[in-house]
Structures are given as C-alpha cells and as structure tokens.
Amino acid sequence: MDMSTIPQTIAIIMDGNGRWAKKQGLPRTAGHKQGAEQIRVIALYANRIGVKKLILYAFSTENWKRPEDEVSYLCKLPEFFFNRYIKELMENNIRVTFAGELERFPDYTQRVINKAVAQTAGNTGLDLCIAINYGSRRELTLAMRRYAQDVKDGRCNNDITEQEVAGYLMVPENVDLMIRTSGELRISNYLLWQIAYAELIFTPVAWPDFDEKALLECIEEYQSRDRRFGGLSK
Ligand code: IPE
Ligand code: IPE
Ligand code: MG
C-alpha cells in the first residue's frame, strides 16, 4: 500500500448484517452485533494507517420503518459497544463523533453517545464518525433552514459559497473513498453532497465479514484509480 495516498476521508455503508445472519440461521440482531464488532476492527485499522476520518452509516432516517424489536436492539448497541471498547479507543487516540439527529433516540442511547463523544474529544487520531438517524436529504433540509434563518436575522447575506454550504452540513468534509458492502448498488440517502468526487467501491462482502484485508483491498483499488476531478490525467 502506498502510504502517501491513503484516502483521508472514507465513508462506508455498512450493509448486509441481516443477510449475513440469515445465512447462518441466526436472528438479524446477531448480524448487527457482529457488525458492531467489525466497527472496532475497521476503526483500529483505519487509525493505524493514517485515515483522518471514517464515516460509518449505522442507522438511516429510513431505518425507523423496520420492526420495533430490531430498532430497539439497534438503540442498545451503542451502550454495548462503548462499554466494551471505549478504553481501547482512548488508548489508540481515536475520537468519536456522530452525524445525525440524535434527539430521536431514547435517553439512555443519547447518554452513552454523549459520554463517548465527551470522553474522546481531546484525542487527535482518527475521527470515527458514526452516522445514526442520518439522511442526506434531511441534512440538506436542515442546512437550508438554518441558512435561511441566518439571512433573515442578518448574520449573513445571500451570496453563500460552496465552502459555506459545507459548513452548514453535519459532515463538512469531502469523501475520498465511499464503500458499500454486501452487493447493493445504491447510495441510500448517504452523504450526497460530500461524495461529489468520491471514488465508489461496491463489494459483495457482507459488513460482518468486512475485515482489515477487505479494507486494504478497497484502498489498493482506490489508489489504482485516476482521480481527474474534471481535469486531465497527470
Ligand atoms: C445494515 O445491515 C445495518 C443497518 C441498516 C442498520 P442490514 O440490516 O440492512 O442488513 P441486510 O441489508 O438486511 O442484509
Ligand atoms: C443503508 O442500508 C443504511 C445503513 C447501512 C445504515 P439499508 O439496508 O437501510 O438500505 P436499503 O434499504 O437497502 O437501500
Ligand atoms: Mg440493508
């Protein structure tokens, strides 16, 4: 791997937990649990190779449509995850952040999340950003509302720049590499503004099986691409 061209910002649509579980005759929740374990594996690896920000899609604004018991299991996963791994995240200098409207989650979920954010706020390694109750259209809608209010209140005028638009979003960074696991070829309302020039990789590997080697292969594929940004090859 060429260490000088590691993607700075990687976004992953962690898909396929349910199908992975079904294949082994387990309930869907078992897939989500193994999926949480993979978050640890991939975050530690991304941190080690110098990725700056890893944005993981864990729960979309559309995932509330799922059965109540599945949603309620997912709401409890942050507690399981941070109780188990916050120490290791601290030891590895990893900062935890979130993107999404957290207010819709139960109090205990919000408490655990806020604690992890506060505890790791001073860390300077990987920014592990977990997108929950995140949807790109919702993000853009909220951004427009805030901008309109800022104009109305005289805090800014209406000549907004691209950079300032990014500043109104939950995730301001440009994504370099976007990966979707488990074979679906769609974006599912994820980071629409931010992936304008991302390299896209769709892998058949289910998220619970997505390990260091799988990420390494994606990065090698990314490094073999010619990112022209509308210009010509160097
Ligand atoms: C991704 O796995 C996790 C969430 C969306 C919460 P899925 O639960 O979507 O798994 P499949 O796509 O049904 O296999
Ligand atoms: C996208 O996966 C959301 C997450 C991985 C959190 P979904 O499984 O919800 O997406 P669709 O329904 O297949 O588009
Ligand atoms: Mg899915």
Side-chain angles (χ1 to χ4, degrees), residues 53 55-56 58 78 81-82 95-102 105 109-110 112-117 120 127-132 134 170-171:
K53 184 158 181 164
I55 316 160
L56 301 178
F81 182 80
F82 289 118
R95 190 155 55 98
V96 177
T97 59
F98 284 84
E101 285 178 284
L102 305 183
F105 289 102
T109 309
Q110 291 188 47
V112 152
I113 284 171
N114 291 333
K115 196 172 143 197
V117 171
T120 60
D127 176 353
L128 170 61
C129 176
I130 304 179
I132 56 173
Y134 173 88
M170 295 165 178
V171 176

Side-chain angles (χ1 to χ4, degrees), residues 73-85:
Y73 184 86
L74 289 168
C75 289
K76 287 183 194 116
L77 265 184
E79 189 173 11
F80 158 80
F81 182 80
F82 289 118
N83 281 344
R84 218 177 232 216
Y85 296 126

